[in-house]
Amino acid sequence: SVLAFFGSFAAVKAFQFFKKLHVLSLSLFLMAAAMLVMATASAYWILLLGTSLFGFALGAMGVVQNTLVTQSAPAQLRTRVLS
């Protein structure tokens, strides 16, 4: 989605200010909050708000998890881990 695209750029910007694990925790929290908003939505626009938040958090989490795996894996296993 478009918001996942913007979420990935926001995650890269957040790396400048926060640790990568904190950015991952924040994106997981936003994802859980979005699921709660979607589950309790009483109007269509609230559902759209929840799905937008979920897409943003999903984009951020995708960047953070791949970055953490790349940094944590040994050099000889990085290509196997990311494939």
Side-chain angles (χ1 to χ4, degrees), residues 27-68:
S27 64
L28 288 172
F29 175 76
L30 286 176
M31 195 174 285
M35 292 173 101
L36 183 65
V37 168
M38 289 187 291
T40 60
S42 59
Y44 184 68
W45 68 271
I46 298 174
L47 182 66
L48 287 177
L49 179 71
T51 56
S52 299
L53 185 62
F54 187 83
F56 185 84
L58 185 67
M61 189 182 70
V63 171
V64 177
Q65 71 182 4
N66 286 334
T67 305
L68 286 172

Side-chain angles (χ1 to χ4, degrees), residues 10-27 60 63-65 67-68 71:
V12 172
K13 273 298 212 193
F15 290 162
Q16 297 173 357
F17 304 106
F18 305 107
K19 293 180 180 179
K20 290 172 182 60
L21 285 176
H22 292 152
V23 177
L24 180 64
S25 297
L26 177 65
S27 64
V63 171
V64 177
Q65 71 182 4
T67 305
L68 286 172
Q71 289 179 350

